[in-house]
Amino acid sequence: MKDFNFYAPTEIVFGEQSEEKVAQLVKKYGGTKVLVHYGGQSAIRSGLLDKVCDQLAQSGIPFVKLGGVVPNPRLSLAQKGIELCREEGIDFILAVGGGSVIDSAKCIAYGVPYEGNVWDFYLGKAKATAMLPLAAVLTIPAAGSEMSESSVITNEEGDVKLGYSNNLSRPKFAIMNPRRTFTLPAYQTAAGVTDMMMHTMERYFTKDDDMDFTTDVAEAMLRSIKNAVFAVLKNPEDYRYRAQIMWGGSLMHNGLTGCGVTEDWATHQLEHELSGMFDVTHGAGLAAIWPSWARYVLHENVSRFVRFAVNVMDVPNDYTDPEGTALKGIEAVERFYHAIGMPVNIKELIGRDITDDEIREMTRKCSRDYTATCGGLKVLQAEDMEAIYRMARG
Amino acid sequence: MKDFNFYAPTEIVFGEQSEEKVAQLVKKYGGTKVLVHYGGQSAIRSGLLDKVCDQLAQSGIPFVKLGGVVPNPRLSLAQKGIELCREEGIDFILAVGGGSVIDSAKCIAYGVPYEGNVWDFYLGKAKATAMLPLAAVLTIPAAGSEMSESSVITNEEGDVKLGYSNNLSRPKFAIMNPRRTFTLPAYQTAAGVTDMMMHTMERYFTKDDDMDFTTDVAEAMLRSIKNAVFAVLKNPEDYRYRAQIMWGGSLMHNGLTGCGVTEDWATHQLEHELSGMFDVTHGAGLAAIWPSWARYVLHENVSRFVRFAVNVMDVPNDYTDPEGTALKGIEAVERFYHAIGMPVNIKELIGRDITDDEIREMTRKCSRDYTATCGGLKVLQAEDMEAIYRMARG
């Protein structure tokens, strides 16, 4: 079993009345002037942005607003935010939105006290030792960024999408009102659940399969969320199951399901190039890659895939044919993706055949010009990445 | 579903090399002069106390030692610790031991900056607004105090055992080396597992049974730990399963398994009087009470007990007889307790018949002279408490 650290200090305030606590929480964590960071029109239309700003104003906390975050959030907006924070003397960032807004907020928060270019952190050229405190009012459960140390930013120059992880960036608090997720379209809901399940599956498929407690908890979470998504696709205003999904999204990516194991993350790495190139929804991109990745790496740990098939996907265990059971588990995941409206290959994802040139370009980027590997269960070289992209073309 | 807060900021450093990080962690969390708090001989014999003190000395962190914590830790020693901290200018407390040592450290940490008597907090007469930071080097997995906001102290004047919970008291970090638990005797191991399972069962048995995600995770943890205990009773040096139990003890009491539900805690309250009167091991006392509590409150939520029987205790579901299935689940818990060497009633716990006078005295104390209730699934009045003690006499 691997030694591990677990650190998830974010204060979670969950429920229908949670938003009313935003100003007192900002004060508790030392904010005296706030950047309210958000995305497009939905935070305005829903009234949430006004509600948050009203709470701050009533409590005498000055704030500045910066909207316009898009899915796969852009470095250029974050750089604008960094300048704005410096000019205005901001000391706390409040992200009102989903993972993209929170990740953009993290990038701004890294950048404000840093003299160089914030992109250095994402390139691995520097390590952040200080950042502005930040918090989230969550509207889209998926990325888990509200409790995690991760963030992903896209640099428009070269369409490069890179992640940076640092415990400093774990939000001070996260406000979660499941009612705010009632208006999420079915596709976004399903892509979000795919993303959160993948955050745990990236940790589950490992050769360090002796940390049973982590595995047992991970399987329970995967089963629970897998069932919950059908309830909310049937009835988008089902508070009970919207709540399960919202809370699940945080716990499935705060580190809990990775304690004691070597994590994988190849599917995420492979998908980053897909959404970098085609600007597709991250969760849908994961669904398009995972089945091919799974078939490609299956033999690295067949018994783990059997366990997953039986305990998560409800596949009957054929004890005489472990590989057959494992493959049935992967097929069951494909049926599940289709049932919730997700693709299972790249053709279904982008609506056309991907070209050989595009596959080669994604391979080049994912392998950092043939210098980098990815993955933990099987360490993927560039030729493995290309093979998986080809299997996934559909 | 109930709104909830979740806050578990303790940094967990888990593994065989974890103890070597103690000095750097103390520094990270601002400690400049440390009280090293511990229990009896085992921390000395094992060499752990010396190792911790050597680490501090080598890093130039001055420290003072205070040992002598006993199970069901005493207020008098904590008061001595408060005086010592004040005299020595201590600003950080390091508890080296199990739940009793950590709880004693919490009591000291509450008391140092408080002008009144620290017992006020436990009596509910005051609420702590500041305390010394503290951390744990854990040696006995059971109480979960290394990650929780709870502590329990026994006041020798009147043998009163009271708890106090406050988020301020969550340890800054907890160092967990499963190897340190190899020497735990079988009885302590089993009592510890009983305690940690009960921390989750006290939250599981609720009328708010619509938070499926929490329930699914709780069941996975209970199943996992229930299986792990047999491995370590067979082979006390089984690192893999000692690790499962050690990490399980923290997660089953850090609040995770209570998110969105009304908690119960009647079994703990009833047990506090047992261990207050007979100085028995807390976990064993819980085992002696729970089956009687469960039968007494079963009809408050039969379907919950059925779910527990089937999903945790592996009882086949007789769909035509929910109550029968629920009762078989309670019987399965009794068989489990016996299998790991725990009692299932008070006679087995204390080795003799409990007297009517003793039952009346425990009832008087548990009900705070007939003024207080306990429990959430069923709110117990004094007559209910007495009835459960009588059912549990064996």
Side-chain angles (χ1 to χ4, degrees), chain A residues 153-175:
Chain A
I153 291 290
T154 296
N155 187 342
E156 301 94 313
E157 291 177 23
D159 266 350
V160 187
K161 187 172 174 180
L162 292 177
Y164 179 54
S165 294
N166 187 318
N167 268 330
L168 286 175
S169 77
R170 294 195 189 256
K172 298 298 176 192
F173 64 84
I175 288 176

Side-chain angles (χ1 to χ4, degrees), chain A residues 123-187:
Chain A
L123 286 173
K125 287 186 185 172
K127 187 175 182 309
T129 54
M131 67 189 295
L132 289 195
L134 63 101
V137 181
L138 188 65
T139 61
I140 305 174
S145 191
E146 68 279 2
M147 212 172 177
S148 85
E149 86 289 26
S150 321
S151 61
V152 182
I153 291 290
T154 296
N155 187 342
E156 301 94 313
E157 291 177 23
D159 266 350
V160 187
K161 187 172 174 180
L162 292 177
Y164 179 54
S165 294
N166 187 318
N167 268 330
L168 286 175
S169 77
R170 294 195 189 256
K172 298 298 176 192
F173 64 84
I175 288 176
M176 300 195 205
N177 178 357
R179 202 166 284 279
R180 293 290 172 186
T181 69
F182 285 3
T183 53
L184 271 182
Y187 188 81

Side-chain angles (χ1 to χ4, degrees), chain B residues 282-321:
Chain B
H282 172 57
L286 294 169
I289 292 289
W290 188 82
S292 298
W293 170 85
R295 289 190 176 91
Y296 193 79
V297 305
L298 173 64
H299 291 100
E300 301 295 319
N301 194 346
V302 172
S303 67
R304 195 70 171 172
F305 280 91
V306 171
R307 190 180 165 151
F308 176 81
V310 174
N311 289 352
V312 178
M313 300 310 298
D314 295 320
V315 171
N317 194 351
D318 180 349
Y319 292 89
T320 68
D321 182 12

Side-chain angles (χ1 to χ4, degrees), chain A residues 192-211:
Chain A
V193 168
T194 302
D195 191 17
M196 56 184 80
M197 288 179 70
M198 195 61 64
H199 289 150
T200 283
M201 288 156 72
E202 297 274 24
R203 295 166 164 111
Y204 181 94
F205 290 101
T206 177
K207 286 184 180 174
D208 306 309
D209 49 6
D210 60 349
M211 185 36 154

